[in-house]
Amino acid sequence: MTHWFHRNPLKATAPVAFNYYGVAAGPAASKICSDLRSCRARLLELFTDLSCNPEMMKNAADSYFSLLQGFINSLDESTQESKLRYIQNFKWTDTLQGQVPSAQQDAVFELISMGFNVALWYTKYASRLAGKENITEDEAKEVHRSLKIAAGIFKHLKESQIPKLITPAEKGRDLEARLLEAYVVQCQAEAQEVTIARAIELKHAPGLIAALAYETANFYQKADHTLSSLEPAYSAKWRKYLHLKMCFYTAYAYCYHGQTLLASDKCGEAIRSLQEAEKFYAKAEALCKEYGETKGPGPTVKPSGHLFFRKLGNLVKNTLEKCQRENGFIAQEGGIDLRLHSRTGIMT
C-alpha cells in the first residue's frame, strides 16, 4: 500500500564560520574549527540531497554533533558547561512561521535546531519511501524505523535539551513543547499506518485491523488537539491533515469492525458500522478538499486523488453492499424483520 504524509518545510540557517582568532590558538584548535565548519556544511547539504540515505545522515549528524559537544560540555567531563557555549551566535528560521529567523548566542540552541532538522529529514525520507508504488516489505520496515527515529529525536529534544536553553522557546515556534509533542504523536500515528498496511497485506483478522485503525485515529486526534491553541494562520493546513487522517482511520476502523460483525452473522450491526464508515469517509473527503485549498506550510496536493484514499472508498462501498446482500438473504430465508442495532462494539 502506498501512503501519503503531510510534511512541513525544513528549517533554514545562516552560515557559521567558526573563526575565533585570538581564542582558538594553535593548529589543533584551528583544525577543530575547520572540521566544525565543513561538517556543518556537509550536514546541511544532505538535508536536500535526494540520494542521501539514513546511514549517510547518521554519519554526518554524528560527526557534527560530536564536535559541537566541545562547545557545550566541559572537556574534563565535569558537570560544568564549556566556556565556549556562548561564543557564537546561531540563526534559524521556523518551519511554520516562515523566513523570520530566531537567533540565540548558545551552542545548545544550535544542537536543538540542527537536531530538529535531522528529525524532519527522517520524516521526509519515510514519506518519500512510503509514497512509492508497490513498496516492498524491507522498504516498509525502513519507513517504520525512520519514523521511530524521528519520534525519538523530537522526544529527546523536548525532554532533555530544550530545558537547558537560557532563553525560553518562543510561543508558537518550532522549539515549543506543543509543536514537538505534535511531531512525536504524528510520527507514532504514521508508523502505525505502516503496521496497518502490513496487517491488511498479511490478511490478519479484521478485528485486529479495526483496533489498530481506531488507535491510529486517536493518535491523529491527539496531535490535532495539541495544536488547537496555535495561531490558525500558521497551523491550519497541518491541522487539516491531522483531522482528515483521524476521519480516514475512523472510517477504516468502522469498515473492518463491520467485517468482524458480518463474520459473526450480525448483519444488521455490520450494516450500521459500514454506514458509519461511509460518514467518516465522506468527512475525510471534504477535508481533503479543504486541505488542498488551505494556505500554509506544506505541499500543495489533492489527497483525495491519492491511491491510499481511493482504495478505502472502494472497500467501504463493496463491504457495505456485501452486508446488505447477506442481510437480504437472511431476511428472505427466515421471513423476519431485521432491525439495525445501534451497538457498534469498539466504536461506542
Side-chain angles (χ1 to χ4, degrees):
M1 179 189 288
T2 59
H3 300 269
W4 167 74
F5 302 136
H6 167 94
R7 291 294 175 257
N8 292 325
L10 289 162
K11 296 165 74 69
T13 182
V16 179
F18 294 106
N19 288 327
Y20 307 115
Y21 304 112
V23 176
S30 297
K31 174 72 164 56
I32 290 172
C33 291
S34 175
D35 289 346
L36 265 168
R37 187 165 54 250
S38 61
C39 285
R40 189 178 197 266
R42 173 62 177 156
L43 186 51
L44 292 172
E45 234 174 57
L46 288 180
F47 288 144
T48 54
D49 184 350
L50 294 179
S51 67
C52 179
N53 60 43
E55 184 181 2
M56 293 166 65
M57 178 55 61
K58 183 181 185 304
N59 290 339
D62 286 351
S63 295
Y64 181 59
F65 291 140
S66 63
L67 290 167
L68 191 64
Q69 286 300 322
F71 282 67
I72 297 171
N73 300 316
S74 177
L75 296 179
D76 61 7
E77 298 185 357
S78 68
T79 56
Q80 292 186 352
E81 63 190 25
S82 169
K83 294 178 180 178
L84 299 174
R85 176 174 169 178
Y86 306 105
I87 198 172
Q88 177 67 54
N89 190 49
F90 298 95
K91 290 183 181 179
W92 285 88
T93 62
D94 193 78
T95 60
L96 293 183
Q97 297 194 26
Q99 299 305 308
V100 179
S102 294
Q104 289 196 35
Q105 195 150 327
D106 188 346
V108 172
F109 177 68
E110 167 73 357
L111 176 74
I112 294 167
S113 300
M114 190 68 84
F116 190 101
N117 250 18
V118 171
L120 272 184
W121 180 88
Y122 275 103
T123 69
K124 288 175 178 288
Y125 176 78
S127 179
R128 210 160 55 240
L129 201 57
K132 290 173 57 179
E133 293 286 346
N134 302 317
I135 183 172
T136 66
E137 182 181 350
D138 286 342
E139 287 171 332
K141 288 179 180 177
E142 187 70 25
V143 171
H144 195 275
R145 185 161 44 246
S146 295
L147 290 167
K148 284 182 67 177
I149 291 170
I153 295 172
F154 285 128
K155 191 171 188 292
H156 172 72
L157 295 177
K158 174 176 174 271
E159 295 178 356
S160 302
Q161 298 299 331
I162 288 176
K164 296 177 183 177
L165 286 172
I166 301 300
T167 305
E170 299 171 68
K171 285 188 176 181
R173 296 181 77 90
D174 288 337
L175 307 189
E176 200 201 341
R178 287 177 299 176
L179 272 82
L180 286 163
E181 181 62 19
Y183 276 115
V184 171
V185 178
Q186 181 179 332
C187 287
Q188 291 172 329
E190 291 172 349
Q192 192 141 296
E193 285 193 48
V194 179
T195 302
I196 291 170
R198 184 67 178 152
I200 293 170
E201 187 181 335
L202 295 175
K203 301 189 187 304
H204 285 318
L208 172 63
I209 297 169
L212 286 169
Y214 183 59
E215 188 179 30
T216 304
N218 283 340
F219 275 136
Y220 278 116
Q221 187 175 40
K222 180 182 176 182
D224 179 49
H225 179 72
T226 303
L227 297 175
S228 61
S229 57
L230 288 180
E231 177 61 45
Y234 304 122
S235 63
K237 195 175 187 73
W238 191 3
R239 291 194 64 200
K240 289 290 183 190
Y241 165 78
L242 297 171
H243 193 189
L244 80 84
K245 280 292 185 82
M246 185 274 288
C247 291
F248 180 83
Y249 278 98
T250 302
Y252 243 120
Y254 271 119
C255 182
Y256 277 92
H257 182 55
Q259 291 185 22
T260 303
L261 292 169
L262 183 61
S264 302
D265 293 328
K266 297 178 180 178
C267 293
E269 291 182 54
I271 290 173
R272 173 62 179 161
S273 192
L274 265 298
Q275 287 173 338
E276 289 298 311
E278 273 192 325
K279 288 179 187 176
F280 276 96
Y281 182 78
K283 286 181 183 178
E285 196 167 30
L287 285 163
C288 282
K289 184 179 179 184
E290 291 175 23
Y291 175 87
E293 294 172 350
T294 302
K295 294 181 179 179
T300 304
V301 296
K302 293 182 178 178
S304 57
H306 199 284
L307 180 61
F308 92 97
F309 194 87
R310 297 199 311 271
K311 284 180 75 171
L312 176 59
N314 291 332
L315 180 65
V316 171
K317 179 175 178 289
N318 294 337
T319 308
L320 178 57
E321 288 174 355
K322 182 181 179 182
C323 290
Q324 289 169 334
R325 283 197 305 271
E326 292 286 332
N327 197 44
F329 291 150
I330 294 171
Q332 287 173 10
E333 289 176 7
I336 58 174
D337 179 22
L338 288 171
R339 291 172 295 177
L340 299 181
H341 301 284
S342 60
R343 184 169 63 86
T344 56
I346 65 164
M347 302 308 296
T348 58

